[in-house]
Amino acid sequence: QVQLVESGGGLVQAGGSLRLSCAASGRTFTRFAMGWFRQAPGKGREFVAAIKWRDDSTYYADSVKGRFTISRDNAKNTVALQMNTLKPEDTAVYYCAAATKAIFLSSSYRTAANYDYWGQGTQVTVSS
């Protein structure tokens, strides 16, 4: 009933930038937070960034802090991930996700199980 659609992935060289966007459609739902996760070949799904919808509080993985910025647009019901100074290690499929239930601990934003809806993912490839 709820669809999340990512866009903006692509192929870039190390040091370049990409901007990912995620749009929600379908039935309305109570949005507590939205986040970005990524999964590289042979690895599990890794937390990247999250934003609390009510007050714009943001959370970042240490590996991307200072390089990536998550933002939201309430009117458009979208969330974006600006990725700068990309590294080959950032290569992965990036997924957006929505949490409909309250998250009380800041550390819990990093946990994929706390998110209820997921997009299909968009490929980001960073060459050396």
Side-chain angles (χ1 to χ4, degrees):
Q1 291 182 300
V2 175
Q3 292 184 341
L4 302 178
V5 181
E6 304 97 336
S7 62
L11 173 64
V12 298
Q13 292 193 344
S17 299
L18 284 174
R19 184 177 180 86
L20 305 183
S21 182
C22 177
S25 63
R27 73 171 181 86
T28 58
F29 63 96
T30 302
R31 182 176 299 183
F32 181 81
M34 293 192 71
W36 288 94
F37 291 75
R38 65 188 183 187
Q39 187 166 19
K43 296 183 178 180
R45 190 160 295 188
E46 176 189 24
F47 170 76
V48 177
I51 183 167
K52 185 178 180 181
W53 214 253
R54 185 174 65 186
D55 61 9
D56 280 341
S57 298
T58 56
Y59 308 85
Y60 294 95
D62 290 342
S63 60
V64 306
K65 191 174 181 63
R67 299 188 298 121
F68 292 9
T69 302
I70 187 171
S71 61
R72 61 162 174 80
D73 187 328
N74 286 344
K76 297 180 179 180
N77 206 30
T78 59
V79 61
L81 184 69
Q82 178 67 43
M83 305 185 295
N84 297 325
T85 318
L86 284 162
K87 304 175 181 180
E89 303 93 285
D90 296 318
T91 295
V93 176
Y94 283 70
Y95 300 89
C96 68
T100 63
K101 298 180 178 63
I103 299 174
F104 298 104
L105 300 176
S106 60
S107 60
S108 295
Y109 287 93
R110 305 172 61 90
T111 304
N114 290 327
Y115 294 81
D116 305 292
Y117 301 107
W118 294 83
Q120 294 298 305
T122 185
Q123 177 70 47
V124 172
T125 302
V126 185
S127 62
S128 300

